[in-house]
Amino acid sequence: MLKYQHIAAEIEKYIQEHALQQGDKLPVLDELMVQFGVSKSTIIKSLELLEERGVIFQVRGSGIFVRRHGRKGYISLLKNQGFTRDLDHFPITSQVLELSVRKPTREAATNLNISMEQDVYYVKRVRYIYEQTLCVEESYYNKAIVTYLNNEIVSDSIFDYIREGLGLKIGFSDSYLHVGKLEEEEAGHLGLHKGDPKLDVETIFHLANGQPFDFSRITYNYIQSQFFIQANGHGM
Amino acid sequence: MLKYQHIAAEIEKYIQEHALQQGDKLPVLDELMVQFGVSKSTIIKSLELLEERGVIFQVRGSGIFVRRHGRKGYISLLKNQGFTRDLDHFPITSQVLELSVRKPTREAATNLNISMEQDVYYVKRVRYIYEQTLCVEESYYNKAIVTYLNNEIVSDSIFDYIREGLGLKIGFSDSYLHVGKLEEEEAGHLGLHKGDPKLDVETIFHLANGQPFDFSRITYNYIQSQFFIQANGHGM
């Protein structure tokens, strides 16, 4: 963790510990520098990070303010690090339906920017929140990047393993959302009925160097899942 | 438009005109400074803005690269400026069902952070893409901020009017998404059937100074609408 990331985490902790609410004002820049014992440029980078994450907003000439926190139990559609973290007050478990090495579908190959001859790890799992089904997920990992997976890893957070076990740096992601009706097989996995509403989220996850490493499609149980998005309005 | 915003727009135009694809490398910082005739700090701010918007990504020690553009016809869930702009190659029209001054519901008052005695503009409209229904929208605008609306304005882009007509600076937004089944009345407006899938997006829009000015709920026609989200992975 870089220094400005560490300071950002400290400021976020400060907001939580003081139970600050939307619109509450934070100390001015100079005070924050003194309070955390770091340079002005570090504080500025920390604040930019917190603004991007939707924790604060800055008003030129007026100050730094706390931003509303997402409602509890909502899944952020912006944090591209797997949702185990959003729902960290909720117990998430996984049932692995399949883990295999295979050749990608044409769609997966295109999205991973690999040929159809290259190996991928294919993972299919149902995820549960408390004892309700949350979603069914199919993922294709480029095996040249994600070199190893086993049943124990995929029963838990695959992204934690990629970061900590493989030491890879996760970058940006592109997600595409469609609402539709459940197919029979999906409905079976989710404990719902064929034709019930569903949200499909297709995501291409990239490393920080821009290489796509994971193409996934998650089908959510519409009863159990709700989502939030915090957007910034910079210059658009 | 500030200088760095203008340069960002120029760089985006350059990417389009040269038909650059995901992973294509842009000129280095020094070259961009010369090419656009601006300072290093301006170029850096322009690049940060483009990164935030998902147009480029930067790899430390390696360079600046073009990022995949959203698929055509998808509505961005991140640009909080109304979707007239995402779908600017598509003709969007509106049918106004109601425009009135009234007292807010309890929910609207809470989200707008006003009392239930204060006036709001209530707008209900159906929006069309080509001649298909795209969504039905209900919005509550705090009348103390959005002081004037009429039928002509609400038939077009309300956000363009707020920015250009009222001269207000739009800031961040918080959105909450739920998937569910259409009620009879909603289905009627959308030309669908009761019980068909729907996506509800509830959004609180704020001015740049943090004041909420619009609380809206949009119910999308699941057949006509698809969405994309570009997420950055900074330090999470």
Side-chain angles (χ1 to χ4, degrees):
Chain A
M1 211 186 244
L2 298 173
K3 192 178 219 176
Y4 78 94
Q5 294 170 331
H6 175 71
I7 299 299
E10 289 291 312
I11 295 174
E12 199 167 353
K13 207 170 112 192
Y14 172 91
I15 291 170
Q16 279 161 3
E17 283 174 357
H18 291 73
L20 299 184
Q21 300 300 313
Q22 165 130 349
D24 285 351
K25 197 168 175 178
L26 286 182
V28 297
L29 216 60
D30 289 345
E31 276 178 58
L32 290 173
M33 281 169 61
V34 173
Q35 186 171 338
F36 294 102
V38 293
S39 70
K40 188 165 182 172
S41 68
T42 298
I43 283 288
I44 288 175
K45 283 187 81 170
S46 306
L47 293 174
E48 281 173 357
L49 178 58
L50 289 172
E51 189 157 22
E52 201 174 303
R53 286 194 196 167
V55 176
I56 62 162
F57 63 98
Q58 302 189 63
V59 182
R60 204 168 295 182
S62 178
I64 309 153
F65 301 88
V66 173
R67 202 173 149 179
R68 166 200 293 254
H69 298 287
R71 300 178 192 167
K72 277 220 182 307
Y74 280 70
I75 298 167
S76 169
L77 285 172
L78 269 190
K79 295 189 188 156
N80 53 350
Q81 307 291 307
F83 51 67
T84 315
R85 293 185 172 202
D86 293 315
L87 299 174
D88 60 358
H89 299 294
F90 300 89
I92 299 269
T93 56
S94 299
Q95 181 200 356
V96 180
L97 302 179
E98 188 178 340
L99 167 63
S100 59
V101 174
R102 56 156 86 168
K103 304 301 175 195
T105 59
R106 181 170 302 280
E107 188 189 18
T110 304
N111 282 295
L112 290 173
N113 200 22
I114 59 176
S115 83
M116 290 185 68
E117 309 310 313
Q118 284 182 259
D119 284 339
V120 293
Y121 271 111
Y122 171 77
V123 180
K124 183 168 183 174
R125 31 183 207 174
V126 181
R127 310 200 77 182
Y128 297 86
I129 182 161
Y130 294 101
E131 275 154 34
Q132 308 290 332
T133 58
L134 177 64
C135 61
V136 50
E137 174 195 345
E138 283 185 291
S139 288
Y140 297 84
Y141 293 92
N142 180 352
K143 194 170 177 297
I145 298 173
V146 179
T147 49
Y148 181 75
L149 288 177
N150 67 21
N151 264 297
E152 195 185 331
I153 293 165
V154 303
S155 302
D156 198 1
S157 168
I158 298 177
F159 274 52
D160 279 353
Y161 167 74
I162 288 174
R163 265 190 301 263
E164 289 150 31
L166 297 176
L168 295 172
K169 196 156 176 246
I170 295 173
F172 58 89
S173 64
D174 298 319
S175 295
Y176 300 90
L177 282 68
H178 302 91
V179 173
K181 294 181 183 179
L182 284 172
E183 305 290 336
E184 183 126 29
E185 195 223 335
E186 297 167 328
H189 289 310
L190 295 175
L192 295 170
H193 299 286
K194 186 183 167 187
D196 272 349
K198 67 166 176 176
L199 177 68
D200 272 341
V201 181
E202 224 175 273
T203 305
I204 305 134
F205 292 96
H206 304 74
L207 297 181
N209 69 10
Q211 270 190 294
F213 69 93
D214 174 21
F215 171 65
S216 79
R217 181 178 293 111
I218 297 182
T219 301
Y220 285 96
N221 178 336
Y222 78 104
I223 297 169
Q224 295 303 326
S225 50
Q226 36 195 16
F227 304 89
F228 73 92
I229 297 172
Q230 292 186 298
N232 296 316
H234 295 308
M236 292 203 230
Chain B
M1 210 184 243
L2 297 173
K3 193 179 218 175
Y4 78 95
Q5 294 170 332
H6 175 71
I7 299 299
E10 289 291 311
I11 297 174
E12 198 168 353
K13 207 170 113 193
Y14 172 91
I15 291 170
Q16 278 161 4
E17 283 173 358
H18 291 73
L20 299 184
Q21 300 299 313
Q22 165 131 349
D24 286 351
K25 197 169 176 177
L26 286 183
V28 297
L29 216 59
D30 288 346
E31 277 179 58
L32 290 173
M33 281 168 61
V34 175
Q35 187 170 338
F36 294 101
V38 293
S39 71
K40 189 166 182 172
S41 68
T42 299
I43 283 288
I44 288 174
K45 283 189 82 169
S46 306
L47 293 174
E48 281 173 357
L49 178 59
L50 289 172
E51 189 158 21
E52 201 174 303
R53 286 193 197 170
V55 176
I56 61 161
F57 63 96
Q58 302 190 65
V59 182
R60 203 168 296 184
S62 178
I64 307 153
F65 301 88
V66 173
R67 203 172 147 180
R68 166 200 294 253
H69 297 287
R71 301 177 191 168
K72 276 220 182 308
Y74 280 70
I75 297 166
S76 169
L77 285 172
L78 269 190
K79 296 187 187 156
N80 54 349
Q81 307 292 305
F83 52 67
T84 315
R85 292 185 171 202
D86 294 316
L87 299 174
D88 60 358
H89 299 295
F90 302 88
I92 299 266
T93 55
S94 299
Q95 182 200 356
V96 180
L97 302 179
E98 188 177 340
L99 167 64
S100 58
V101 174
R102 56 155 87 167
K103 304 301 175 196
T105 59
R106 182 170 301 280
E107 188 189 18
T110 304
N111 282 295
L112 290 173
N113 200 21
I114 59 176
S115 83
M116 289 184 70
E117 308 311 315
Q118 285 183 259
D119 284 338
V120 294
Y121 271 110
Y122 171 77
V123 180
K124 183 167 183 176
R125 31 183 207 173
V126 181
R127 309 199 77 182
Y128 298 86
I129 182 161
Y130 294 102
E131 277 154 33
Q132 308 291 333
T133 58
L134 176 65
C135 61
V136 50
E137 175 195 344
E138 283 186 291
S139 288
Y140 298 84
Y141 294 91
N142 180 352
K143 194 169 178 296
I145 299 173
V146 179
T147 48
Y148 181 74
L149 288 176
N150 67 21
N151 264 296
E152 195 185 332
I153 294 165
V154 303
S155 302
D156 199 0
S157 168
I158 299 177
F159 275 52
D160 280 353
Y161 168 74
I162 288 174
R163 266 190 300 263
E164 290 150 31
L166 297 176
L168 295 172
K169 197 156 175 245
I170 296 173
F172 58 89
S173 63
D174 298 319
S175 297
Y176 300 90
L177 283 67
H178 301 91
V179 173
K181 294 181 182 177
L182 285 172
E183 305 291 336
E184 182 125 28
E185 195 224 335
E186 297 167 327
H189 290 310
L190 295 174
L192 296 171
H193 299 287
K194 185 182 168 189
D196 272 349
K198 67 166 175 176
L199 178 68
D200 272 341
V201 180
E202 225 175 273
T203 305
I204 305 133
F205 292 95
H206 304 74
L207 296 181
N209 70 8
Q211 269 191 295
F213 68 94
D214 174 20
F215 171 64
S216 80
R217 180 178 293 111
I218 298 182
T219 301
Y220 285 96
N221 178 335
Y222 77 105
I223 295 169
Q224 296 303 327
S225 51
Q226 36 194 13
F227 305 88
F228 74 94
I229 296 173
Q230 292 186 299
N232 296 315
H234 296 307
M236 294 202 228

